[in-house]
């Protein structure tokens, strides 16, 4: 089962708290244990300093030993358990035990207080060591004679055990508390997310993409997320409105030629006619079919997936020359010229670029009858440009601002070209779309009485 985000946040908070508690506990354990051990070692050293002098006094030779010592050789050490008990009592320290290791009868003999810990070897080397229950400090007094001081270290072990018991009880409690706190805090932090989820669900159910989202702003991360979603929804709403307008306009423009085509077919079939009349009707039907085909082709090109755009070297001068030739065939009286002495090649989709240049050329021929149309192809820094210019009447500023929108036609009386095929307001829209697919731009410049100029800029 997948945990919720709130549960995961609470568990991560508990885990982080547990790790922090363990690290702090380990540091405290190391510090306290070192402090207690250092205190015990200092105690052993102080006890040794207090008893060593007195033990050495008992081991000091008598006056006659000083005279006979060189003759008799090393003499056995004579010290009793009572002497050590008396010294230990005089030290007045609880848990202090003494033992003296000395030669006796050719072997080492250990004499110590009754409670000296058993199991401690008599031949320990000088130094400090821990037997588990006592700290043992060994100090040599003379050749083959050593003093062992044992101090009870059970308090150090008990302190360790108490610390471990406290840690064992506190760590689960700390984890539980951090889990509860993390659950509450995560719930409060995720409250805006739940509100955002509800608003998004309501937008999805109602379809109002421009509905404001709660908490959207420039505050924290959640506020910026809500603002980003709100802006994205607004862009989706704009795209939906454009798509709906596009579809309505497309349906309208498709309905007109279809209705005309249906009426002509029905009128032709209504009664018998002679061959010339049938030919005339068929020519009109062919004109309507051509309009439908052109419209369908433009719609398909506008809807083309950007990922399907090809990237191959495209000779722009060849495309421009083909467009000029076709325009002359379309209207033999049109004055259309090409200015492109230099061969210019750009990477792109040959079909799309050819259609865009053809649309710009036929747009000039159709909307500026009798005017001179000049198609120029030139290289420019970073790419190339194709300019179609006519010396026709031009357009005003208000019309110029809307040119390039799909299905926008400023003057219905100018939608018929020389061939009788009406325009659909898609020529400039398609050219602008093709420019965008290739990373370029489409610039339109015109003024009343100053002609009309369109420039297609393409990156190299």
């Amino acid at each position: 089962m997948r945990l919720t985000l709130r549960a995961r946040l609470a568990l991560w908070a508990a885990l982080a708290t547990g790790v922090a508690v363990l690290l702090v506990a380990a540091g405290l354990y190391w510090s306290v244990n070192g402090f207690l051990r250092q205190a015990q070692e200092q105690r052993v050293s102080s006890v040794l300093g207090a008893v060593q002098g007195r033990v050495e006094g008992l081991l000091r030779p008598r006056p006659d030993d000083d005279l006979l010592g060189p003759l008799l050789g090393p003499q056995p050490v004579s010290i009793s358990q009572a002497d050590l008990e008396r010294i230990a009592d005089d030290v007045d320290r609880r848990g202090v035990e003494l033992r003296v290791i000395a030669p006796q009868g050719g072997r080492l003999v250990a004499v110590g207080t009754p409670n000296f810990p058993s199991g401690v070897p008599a031949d320990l080397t000088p130094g400090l060591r821990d037997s588990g229950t006592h700290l043992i400090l060994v100090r040599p007094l003379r050749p083959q004679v050593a003093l062992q001081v044992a101090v009870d270290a059970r308090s150090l072990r008990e302190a360790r055990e108490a610390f471990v018991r406290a840690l064992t009880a506190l760590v689960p409690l700390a984890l539980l508390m951090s889990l509860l706190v993390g659950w509450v805090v995560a719930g409060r932090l995720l409250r805006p997310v739940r509100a955002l989820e509800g608003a998004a669900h309501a937008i999805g159910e109602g379809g109002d993409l421009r509905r404001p989202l709660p908490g959207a702003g420039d505050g924290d991360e959640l506020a910026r997320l809500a603002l980003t979603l709100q802006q994205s929804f607004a862009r989706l709403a704009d795209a939906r409105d454009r798509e709906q307008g596009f579809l309505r306009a497309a349906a309208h423009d498709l309905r007109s030629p279809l209705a005309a085509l249906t009426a002509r077919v029905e009128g032709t079939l209504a009664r018998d006619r002679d061959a010339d009349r049938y030919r005339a009707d068929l020519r009109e039907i062919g004109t309507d079919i051509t309009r439908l085909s052109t419209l369908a082709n433009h719609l398909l090109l506008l809807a083309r997936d950007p990922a399907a755009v090809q990237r191959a070297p495209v000779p722009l001068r060849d495309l421009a020359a083909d467009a000029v030739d076709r325009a002359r065939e379309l209207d033999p009286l049109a004055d259309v010229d090409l200015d492109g002495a230099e061969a210019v090649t750009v990477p792109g989709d040959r079909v799309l670029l050819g259609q865009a240049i053809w649309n710009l050329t036929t747009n000039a021929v159709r909307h500026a009858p009798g005017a001179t149309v000049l198609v120029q192809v030139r290289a420019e820094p970073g790419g190339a440009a194709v300019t179609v210019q006519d010396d026709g009447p031009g357009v005003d500023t208000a019309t110029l601002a809307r040119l390039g929108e799909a299905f926008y036609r400023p003057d219905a009386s100018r939608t018929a070209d020389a061939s009788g095929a009406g325009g659909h307001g898609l020529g400039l829209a398609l050219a602008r779309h093709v420019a965008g697919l290739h990373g370029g731009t489409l610039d339109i410049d015109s003024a009343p009485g100053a002609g009309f100029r369109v420039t297609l800029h393409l990156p190299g």
Side-chain angles (χ1 to χ4, degrees):
M1 181 180 66
R2 185 176 180 82
L3 296 176
T4 63
L5 180 59
R6 184 179 185 181
R8 293 200 297 271
L9 288 175
L11 288 177
W12 277 111
L15 178 61
T17 302
V19 172
V21 169
L22 290 177
L23 290 177
V24 172
L28 288 175
Y29 180 82
W30 180 80
S31 300
V32 172
N33 182 67
F35 175 77
L36 293 177
R37 183 175 178 84
Q38 184 179 8
Q40 290 286 358
E41 292 176 355
Q42 290 177 353
R43 183 186 179 195
V44 174
S45 298
S46 63
V47 170
L48 178 64
V51 303
Q52 181 177 353
R54 300 187 61 179
V55 173
E56 288 180 340
L58 294 176
L59 298 176
R60 194 171 293 118
R62 296 184 299 274
D64 54 349
D65 293 337
D66 294 338
L67 297 175
L68 300 176
L71 299 176
L72 300 177
Q75 299 296 312
V77 176
S78 176
I79 189 170
S80 65
Q81 180 178 334
D83 295 333
L84 296 179
E85 290 180 357
R86 186 171 58 254
I87 294 174
D89 292 338
D90 292 342
V91 173
D92 193 21
R93 296 192 181 219
R94 291 175 296 175
V96 176
E97 306 294 337
L98 303 177
R99 188 168 72 170
V100 175
I101 309 299
Q104 187 74 30
R107 61 188 181 89
L108 293 177
V109 176
V111 179
T113 54
N115 295 326
F116 193 88
S118 59
V120 179
D123 56 350
L124 287 177
T125 57
L128 180 66
R129 53 188 46 82
D130 190 352
S131 67
T133 58
H134 292 76
L135 287 179
I136 311 297
L137 181 60
V138 180
R139 178 66 60 84
L141 301 179
R142 62 173 62 179
Q144 296 184 337
V145 178
L147 172 63
Q148 296 180 346
V149 179
V151 176
D152 190 359
R154 283 176 293 183
S155 60
L156 178 61
R157 184 184 62 188
E158 292 173 355
R160 293 173 182 169
E161 294 174 352
F163 189 86
V164 172
R165 287 195 299 270
L167 185 63
T168 304
L170 289 176
V171 168
L173 182 61
L175 291 177
L176 180 60
M177 290 297 296
S178 63
L179 186 62
L180 294 177
V181 173
W183 179 264
V184 175
V185 172
R188 294 182 63 86
L189 290 176
L190 294 177
R191 188 177 301 168
V193 177
R194 290 194 294 271
L196 186 61
E197 178 186 2
H201 181 73
I203 289 175
E205 292 291 335
D208 184 10
L209 295 177
R210 291 188 173 86
R211 175 179 177 179
L213 293 179
D218 297 327
D220 56 11
E221 291 81 356
L222 290 178
R224 292 195 295 272
L225 173 61
L227 180 60
T228 302
L229 290 176
Q230 181 174 292
Q231 294 172 347
S232 300
F233 288 160
R235 287 192 292 270
L236 288 175
D238 294 339
R240 182 184 62 184
D241 293 343
R242 289 194 301 269
E243 180 182 355
Q244 290 176 351
F246 181 85
L247 291 176
R248 284 194 296 267
H252 177 271
D253 276 40
L254 284 172
R255 184 169 60 246
S256 297
L258 284 175
L261 180 61
T262 302
R264 287 194 177 99
V265 171
E266 290 177 350
T268 302
L269 297 177
R271 61 181 182 274
D272 294 336
R273 301 174 182 234
D274 56 20
D276 293 337
R277 187 59 183 272
Y278 276 124
R279 291 191 189 93
D281 290 343
L282 288 176
R283 280 194 295 270
E284 293 177 355
I285 292 173
T287 300
D288 291 336
I289 293 175
T290 301
R291 292 184 62 195
L292 285 172
S293 176
T294 302
L295 176 60
N297 184 50
H298 284 182
L299 291 175
L300 289 174
L301 290 176
L302 282 174
R304 190 163 183 176
D305 185 5
V309 176
Q310 299 181 2
R311 299 293 178 183
V314 177
L316 293 181
R317 187 177 62 180
D318 294 348
L319 298 183
D322 181 66
V324 170
D325 292 339
R326 292 170 61 190
R328 290 170 179 171
E329 294 175 359
L330 188 66
D331 185 2
L333 299 179
D335 184 8
V336 186
D337 295 318
L338 173 64
D339 180 10
E342 181 183 358
V344 180
T345 302
V346 296
D349 191 301
R350 186 184 184 98
V351 175
L352 290 180
L353 291 176
Q355 186 66 41
I357 297 174
W358 162 245
N359 285 356
L360 297 180
T361 305
T362 56
N363 183 74
V365 173
R366 179 185 302 119
H367 295 294
T372 300
V373 179
L374 178 63
V375 181
Q376 294 177 314
V377 180
R378 68 182 186 277
E380 60 181 15
V386 178
T387 301
V388 179
Q389 182 175 1
D390 64 70
D391 56 0
V395 296
D396 56 27
T397 305
T399 302
L400 185 65
R402 296 197 59 188
L403 289 178
E405 297 180 9
F407 298 103
Y408 174 70
R409 289 174 291 186
D411 188 355
S413 64
R414 297 166 58 188
T415 59
D417 58 17
S419 66
H424 304 91
L426 291 176
L428 291 178
L430 177 60
R432 188 182 298 278
H433 183 65
V434 170
L437 290 177
H438 289 79
T441 58
L442 185 72
D443 297 335
I444 305 175
D445 184 20
S446 181
F452 193 87
R453 183 174 68 252
V454 185
T455 304
L456 176 63
H457 298 278
L458 297 170

